[in-house]
Amino acid sequence: MIETLSWYGIITLLGLLVLPLSFAIFRRLPDRGYTFSKPLGLLVVGIAAWWVGNLKLLPFVGSTIWLVVALVGLACYGLLLANRRLREEMLAWFRQPHNLWLIVAGELLFLAAFAFMVNFRSFLPDLNQSEKFFDLAFIQAIATSPTLPPPDPWYGGVPMNYYYGGQLLMAIICKLSGVEASTAYNIAMGLVFALATLGGFGIACNLVGLARGKNRVSIGAGLIGAAFLMILGNLLPLRQFLEHGLLPLGDRNFPFKVNWPASARMIYDPMPDGRMLDILTEYPIYSYLNGDLHAHLLDAPYVLLVLGYIVNIFSAPAKWALTRLDWRAVPRFLAAGLLIGAPFLINGGDFPTYLFLAVAVLGLAELRAGGKRLEMLVRWGVQVAGLGAAIWLVYLFYFTNFTGMLRAEPDPTYQNVPVVGYLSRFMGWINWPRTFLAEYVQMFGLFLLAILTFYALKLAELWREEKEEVAPLPTWANVLVKVAGLIFLAIGLLGLIPAYQAYSVHNLSLKSAIVPVIALSAAAWTLWPGAWQQLRSRPRLAMEAMYLIYFIPVGIWIHFELLGPVSILTYLSLRLFQREFRRSKESENWLARMDSLLMLFVALGGALILFCEVVYIKDIYANRFNTMFKFWYQVWVLNSLAGTYAAWRVLSWVREWQPGGAKSGLENHRQAQSSGERLGGLLPKPLLNFSFLGSQRRQLADGPDLDRDWSFSVSQPAGRYPPKPSRPAIKPVFAGAGSDEREESETAAKPRLWKGFWLAAMAALIFFAALLPTIAYYQGANYYQQRKGLDGEAWYARQFPAEYPAMVWLRNYTANNAERSGVVLEMNGINYTWADRISTFTGLPTVVGWPFHELQWRGYLDPLVIWNSWLDMSRIYETTDEAKAIQMLKEHNVRYVFVGQVENGTRSFYPDNHDLKHFSPEALAKFRDFMTPIYSDPQNNVYIYEFK
């Protein structure tokens, strides 16, 4: 318990220390970065200590890092004392009651998330499966090393050639708290989960607060954002329910046994060599259940930190969205480089995506500010160049030590093709059947419902705006249209038969359903009264729909099911983005501005999905396993945030849709505003009075005055902006020859039907998405029956009782002592076993650890270099030739030789104890002839030898 409390106290302290810096950096957000202060504090202290360690100014130990903490606190509060304006803003912000409620809600959410995950890990603390050895090895190596750059524990102690920033930050808290890495690992799972949950809460809070044109957040929207991003799972339970039904009521696993690994391994690629390769598509709540403290998991709080900063940039009130060029530009550029460059150090696969998004948002902010094209381009170019230089400078030591992990091998098929031939050195082209639409919907269906509903409402607005006058069809043409509609209807109904047959054998795919989908859609447009005439009056929309729909059958034909649906979604995002961005530019409309940002998130997510369907990034695997793993995680983040915002927008429409339209626009405005504030801000004042059927429509109120940076004036109440005069009623979009009375009566019925259907569908999806973490965590923790504590190496003491004391002795002997550091020799083993347990739990580097991991991290090396070193580890133990053993030990710079239970043949790397090693007594005894035994247990034949 004391270890957990110490970590909670440290992260809280770091967040408080950097509050002034957070208020300065996130000056345009309603919460002024309060919800991002904890990860920001850890990042600032971590990078400062990292610089001190790399410059060799002081040893990289706990006392040095505490000194850095003190200096960071002095610098931040020195800034506060020196900057009167910042001091007044902070005092005014904390005096606002709604901000105090934000603090209470955020702190309670953080504490609840932290406690939940730490409690869960106390039932599954053992660090001996999956990638846990690798993750612990990196944390342990940094936590016990007194020098930087950190040594690779699995490759002879040379610097890590991997994005190790997340492990660095966790190791820094280990040094600050004095908690052993094997226990800290399980606490870190809770810490990272809580930081990411708070980050999702913060982004959703700020997005909705900005969209409402206020300087206050929406706590209700923040809670939904945290749930969508970090708490809810995908729709696997819904699929299980549809395919297998429920277990009996009395069954212990009622309603069903969740096959949670299948929720992230639902895609199987048929490879050209005949293998069926399962593709990993993790999402946050799955990652924590799996328990690997991997780079993508460690980066989640910092991805959200970057996204929060991007929202801050996008909210710029005028030119120079990042910073103006004056003497104050350097610290602002360095702060931007610190934040946006963090994913490069923590999880390199995230860095290009969010750097691209930041650069794009910078350009859009300058484009919205206006001016001559050359002037806008210069402003954008200067800021991008400054940002790039700042990232390079802040993370200089990583840039200079990191040599890349990709294998730059050209594909001879494309070597003579310009550009493509060059790209083929780093990317492979997918020429096998790809992801099914059902798998995509299972993963992102919850978010897609909110996003697509929001888009449908926006398209309905666009539908009215782009109407043109066209002559009515002659009678004979109307007859032909109806005949065509009947033909389409017949084709669609007949097509339902094979679709149902495919569903009955659990083989429903877009290919089996495409005929009824397209045919019945065409039948609806041709048979619905007046619909065809409405389509003719919108030629651009009709042409876009015609061209986009071609992607669906083409995608099926080339085994690319997502080509049509995702291309359509991406195109719609860009089309609607253009409209909303133009509106935000013309009228300084905050709602339109945030709407356009949502569409940018969805468009980027769609582009990433299509990228994963076309190419894969080359690494040790000649497939898209890692590509999908990295990029689908990013799509989850983007879609979950977009889905949160879209759900709030749809709920706003639902609340404001007053049946009958009897009240005036201002009365509806005030009533919805009052209702929204009573619900904690989730349902705010009306944003748009929208109706398919043409009831009175109100225009969006103007946003804040953007001639000033309004977010600095946190003490001023939000402005009140009167609605524009209401317009005359608009005729029904799908109207035939109905009267005004029919229109008025349908206005009351249709919204109720639409609202009820949407709320029921969203509630059902949320229910099934909540089932996965609820049931899977309960079943995965063995029904919470046996708490084991947080010691991640307790299993080691049980499995290797004779050698465990020797390992602990060696760790204590060498930890944070540069004079005693060195390479330790242990028996080699293969990946995903208990091999390399000594280097993993002591932090000392061994010759070669898990070989396939090193092959992946060091793609620039000839694989034979790694394999020969790995084989030498066994050769040293088995030879009886002392001269040969000494030669190989010196070749690999070995200082310690460990003879434990694996090396003496009493235990193996496997739980069932198969594949025991067998070395002759003479071979193991030779080390005492030329090395000094520093640990001896003759009874169990366990020894540690050192070159003196």
Side-chain angles (χ1 to χ4, degrees):
M1 177 61 73
I2 189 64
E3 295 93 343
T4 303
L5 292 176
S6 68
W7 275 56
Y8 179 78
I10 287 171
I11 197 64
T12 302
L13 172 65
L14 297 182
L16 291 173
L17 288 180
V18 300
L19 264 184
L21 183 62
S22 173
F23 268 67
I25 291 176
F26 296 96
R27 61 187 184 277
R28 302 181 187 117
L29 298 186
D31 81 335
R32 301 302 297 266
Y34 182 88
T35 52
F36 306 117
S37 59
K38 288 181 175 65
L40 176 63
L42 180 55
L43 181 66
V44 171
V45 168
I47 296 304
W50 182 66
W51 265 79
V52 170
N54 276 287
L55 290 173
K56 317 296 184 187
L57 299 177
L58 292 170
F60 187 59
V61 294
S63 57
T64 300
I65 299 173
W66 274 115
L67 176 62
V68 170
V69 170
L71 293 176
V72 167
L74 287 174
C76 290
Y77 282 88
L79 170 67
L80 184 64
L81 292 174
N83 191 324
R84 179 180 177 182
R85 182 185 181 187
L86 180 62
R87 190 165 62 251
E88 291 175 350
E89 290 171 1
M90 284 190 68
L91 290 174
W93 190 90
F94 278 102
R95 288 185 183 129
Q96 296 293 327
H98 54 80
N99 291 330
L100 297 181
W101 281 113
L102 167 69
I103 294 172
V104 171
E107 293 301 323
L108 288 176
L109 178 65
F110 177 82
L111 181 59
F114 185 57
F116 167 77
M117 193 54 63
V118 171
N119 177 68
F120 173 74
R121 291 303 306 169
S122 70
F123 291 91
L124 298 170
D126 295 346
L127 305 180
N128 58 1
Q129 296 176 348
S130 190
E131 298 277 4
K132 296 176 181 61
F133 258 41
F134 151 51
D135 297 319
L136 176 62
F138 270 46
I139 296 174
Q140 188 74 267
I142 302 172
T144 56
S145 174
T147 60
L148 290 175
D152 186 342
W154 285 355
Y155 197 65
V158 301
M160 294 177 181
N161 197 64
Y162 187 74
Y163 24 83
Y164 59 83
Q167 290 87 352
L168 170 73
L169 297 178
M170 297 303 105
I172 281 175
I173 305 183
C174 287
K175 288 178 180 285
L176 289 173
S177 64
V179 177
E180 287 289 349
S182 55
T183 298
Y185 181 109
N186 290 308
I187 303 174
M189 291 290 292
L191 176 63
V192 176
F193 178 73
L195 290 175
T197 302
L198 185 60
F201 171 82
I203 290 181
C205 278
N206 285 294
L207 280 174
V208 172
L210 290 169
R212 295 164 64 193
K214 296 185 176 182
N215 58 357
R216 56 185 295 180
V217 300
S218 170
I219 294 176
L223 294 174
I224 293 178
F228 274 25
L229 175 65
M230 297 300 300
I231 298 172
L232 298 179
N234 63 25
L235 300 181
L236 171 72
L238 176 59
R239 180 175 179 176
Q240 280 193 234
F241 170 72
L242 294 175
E243 292 183 350
H244 306 294
L246 301 177
L247 292 172
L249 185 60
D251 193 290
R252 188 181 193 184
N253 293 317
F254 178 83
F256 37 72
K257 177 75 172 177
V258 173
N259 184 13
W260 64 267
S263 69
R265 291 182 180 270
M266 56 189 168
I267 300 174
Y268 285 83
D269 277 2
M271 304 304 295
D273 60 5
R275 292 179 298 130
M276 291 298 291
L277 178 70
D278 59 326
I279 303 298
L280 184 60
T281 53
E282 283 196 21
Y283 50 93
I285 200 65
Y286 170 94
S287 299
Y288 291 92
L289 178 57
N290 193 44
D292 293 340
L293 198 56
H294 236 27
H296 66 286
L297 188 150
L298 290 162
D299 198 29
Y302 295 96
V303 161
L304 297 169
L305 186 67
V306 171
L307 286 173
Y309 189 65
I310 287 173
V311 175
N312 181 73
I313 293 174
F314 200 64
S315 304
K319 302 174 182 177
W320 300 102
L322 182 59
T323 179
R324 294 182 179 274
L325 288 182
D326 55 26
W327 64 272
R328 292 171 296 182
V330 172
R332 291 180 178 176
F333 273 122
L334 290 176
L338 173 73
L339 299 182
I340 297 175
F344 186 62
L345 181 64
I346 300 173
N347 184 27
D350 288 336
F351 177 66
T353 299
Y354 298 107
L355 176 64
F356 169 82
L357 184 60
V359 170
V361 164
L362 266 177
L364 292 169
E366 297 305 325
L367 183 63
R368 187 181 55 248
K372 296 181 179 180
R373 290 185 178 180
L374 181 59
E375 179 188 348
M376 290 187 293
L377 185 62
V378 168
R379 291 199 308 263
W380 176 71
V382 168
Q383 292 176 97
V384 170
L387 175 62
I391 292 173
W392 183 84
L393 181 60
V394 172
Y395 296 98
L396 174 65
F397 296 111
Y398 185 67
F399 279 101
T400 54
N401 287 323
F402 185 69
T403 57
M405 296 164 54
L406 302 181
R407 298 184 185 277
E409 298 175 353
D411 189 334
T413 306
Y414 304 99
Q415 62 184 359
N416 296 321
V417 181
V419 181
V420 176
Y422 175 78
L423 290 177
S424 72
R425 297 168 59 87
F426 308 99
M427 300 177 185
W429 306 93
I430 297 173
N431 57 358
W432 54 84
R434 303 162 179 87
T435 310
F436 292 131
L437 178 61
E439 296 160 344
Y440 172 74
V441 172
Q442 177 182 316
M443 189 72 170
F444 305 111
L446 173 62
F447 316 134
L448 289 174
L449 175 61
I451 292 168
L452 292 177
T453 306
F454 175 59
Y455 279 16
L457 297 170
K458 284 291 184 182
L459 283 172
E461 289 181 336
L462 196 63
W463 180 267
R464 284 197 297 272
E465 292 174 2
E466 297 195 355
K467 183 178 181 180
E468 300 177 5
E469 294 296 330
V470 293
L473 286 172
T475 304
W476 64 268
N478 271 319
V479 172
L480 288 179
V481 169
K482 301 307 177 187
V483 170
L486 293 173
I487 294 173
F488 283 131
L489 179 61
I491 294 173
L493 293 175
L494 290 173
L496 289 175
I497 298 174
Y500 176 77
Q501 292 173 343
Y503 167 76
S504 63
V505 295
H506 308 301
N507 195 31
L508 182 64
S509 66
L510 184 58
K511 181 178 181 180
S512 61
I514 186 62
V515 172
V517 167
I518 294 180
L520 292 176
S521 300
W525 275 105
T526 50
L527 294 177
W528 192 280
W532 183 253
Q533 184 72 6
Q534 294 286 348
L535 190 62
R536 290 180 62 238
S537 65
R538 296 161 178 86
R540 179 181 175 182
L541 287 172
M543 290 296 293
E544 289 172 330
M546 183 180 68
Y547 281 115
L548 288 172
I549 206 169
Y550 283 148
F551 282 87
I552 297 177
V554 169
I556 294 173
W557 179 53
I558 63 174
H559 303 290
F560 189 170
E561 279 198 11
L562 296 187
L563 176 63
V566 178
S567 295
I568 292 172
L569 178 63
T570 306
Y571 179 82
L572 283 178
S573 300
L574 295 174
R575 175 83 149 87
L576 294 172
F577 168 82
Q578 181 185 24
R579 173 179 179 268
E580 297 302 319
F581 185 76
R582 184 177 65 250
R583 289 177 59 193
S584 71
K585 182 179 179 182
E586 292 172 351
S587 63
E588 299 293 357
N589 188 316
W590 280 91
L591 181 64
R593 187 183 297 193
M594 293 302 108
D595 284 357
S596 66
L597 186 60
L598 160 128
M599 293 158 186
L600 191 62
F601 283 3
V602 178
L604 180 57
L608 292 174
I609 291 290
L610 293 174
F611 177 86
C612 294
E613 299 296 298
V614 176
V615 297
Y616 63 87
I617 297 174
K618 289 183 176 179
D619 53 20
I620 190 175
Y621 306 111
N623 52 62
R624 61 175 184 154
F625 182 92
N626 271 338
T627 305
M628 291 278 286
F629 175 39
K630 295 291 185 184
F631 289 125
W632 273 48
Y633 214 88
Q634 297 171 17
V635 175
W636 179 281
V637 173
L638 294 169
N639 280 356
S640 64
L641 295 175
T644 300
Y645 181 85
W648 169 76
R649 291 288 277 118
V650 175
L651 284 170
S652 300
W653 262 311
V654 168
R655 286 291 303 170
E656 141 190 33
W657 211 339
Q658 303 294 334
K663 298 180 182 179
S664 69
L666 184 58
E667 289 172 338
N668 281 335
H669 178 90
R670 289 172 176 168
Q671 178 180 351
Q673 181 181 14
S674 176
S675 300
E677 291 179 354
R678 282 199 305 270
L679 291 173
L682 176 60
L683 304 175
K685 65 181 182 181
L687 304 174
L688 185 65
N689 185 28
F690 171 80
S691 172
F692 281 108
L693 299 168
S695 61
Q696 186 182 43
R697 182 182 181 212
R698 294 187 306 279
Q699 294 298 310
L700 173 70
D702 293 333
D705 179 7
L706 297 185
D707 292 334
R708 62 186 179 88
D709 192 348
W710 65 273
S711 65
F712 278 111
S713 305
V714 294
S715 61
Q716 299 182 7
R720 301 182 182 274
Y721 309 99
K724 295 181 180 179
S726 58
R727 296 181 178 180
I730 302 173
K731 291 186 178 181
V733 173
F734 302 113
S739 64
D740 292 340
E741 290 78 7
R742 176 186 173 188
E743 176 183 332
E744 185 175 351
S745 65
E746 287 183 346
T747 303
K750 289 290 186 179
R752 290 196 190 102
L753 177 62
W754 178 88
K755 175 177 67 174
F757 174 78
W758 187 85
L759 290 175
M762 181 59 73
L765 293 185
I766 290 175
F767 171 76
F768 282 106
L771 277 181
L772 193 142
T774 303
I775 299 177
Y777 272 69
Y778 176 67
Q779 295 171 352
N782 193 26
Y783 313 100
Y784 296 114
Q785 289 184 342
Q786 184 180 1
R787 189 185 302 275
K788 299 179 180 179
L790 295 174
D791 186 357
E793 64 184 45
W795 71 273
Y796 191 165
R798 295 192 302 269
Q799 294 290 337
F800 299 90
E803 76 170 40
Y804 177 74
M807 182 279 295
V808 173
W809 184 92
L810 182 61
R811 181 172 65 202
N812 295 335
Y813 179 73
T814 58
N816 291 308
N817 190 324
E819 295 181 356
R820 292 179 178 176
S821 64
V823 177
V824 60
L825 177 69
E826 57 183 313
M827 186 58 204
N828 59 9
I830 207 64
N831 295 40
Y832 303 108
T833 66
W834 296 341
D836 307 295
R837 80 271 184 218
I838 305 303
S839 55
T840 295
F841 285 89
T842 64
L844 291 173
T846 191
V847 178
V848 174
W850 287 2
F852 287 102
H853 281 61
E854 285 296 340
L855 288 169
Q856 182 178 351
W857 302 336
R858 304 182 185 276
Y860 60 90
L861 282 180
D862 183 346
L864 289 178
V865 174
I866 293 175
W867 281 117
N868 282 329
S869 297
W870 183 79
L871 291 172
D872 280 349
M873 297 170 71
S874 178
R875 293 167 181 157
I876 294 172
Y877 281 109
E878 68 185 2
T879 184
T880 57
D881 187 336
E882 292 186 11
K884 184 178 179 180
I886 293 173
Q887 178 187 353
M888 287 189 287
L889 288 168
K890 290 183 177 180
E891 180 182 343
H892 297 293
N893 298 312
V894 173
R895 179 170 182 175
Y896 301 100
V897 173
F898 193 92
V899 178
Q901 289 183 264
V902 171
E903 290 78 15
N904 65 28
T906 58
R907 288 291 299 165
S908 79
F909 293 138
Y910 301 94
D912 61 3
N913 217 31
H914 76 275
D915 194 22
L916 292 172
K917 303 299 179 184
H918 295 286
F919 301 120
S920 66
E922 296 79 14
L924 294 179
K926 66 180 178 290
F927 297 109
R928 71 186 62 172
D929 295 334
F930 54 86
M931 301 181 73
T932 303
I934 56 175
Y935 181 92
S936 300
D937 180 4
Q939 182 178 356
N940 293 297
N941 195 23
V942 174
Y943 297 91
I944 302 175
Y945 300 97
E946 179 184 6
F947 275 115
K948 290 293 189 178

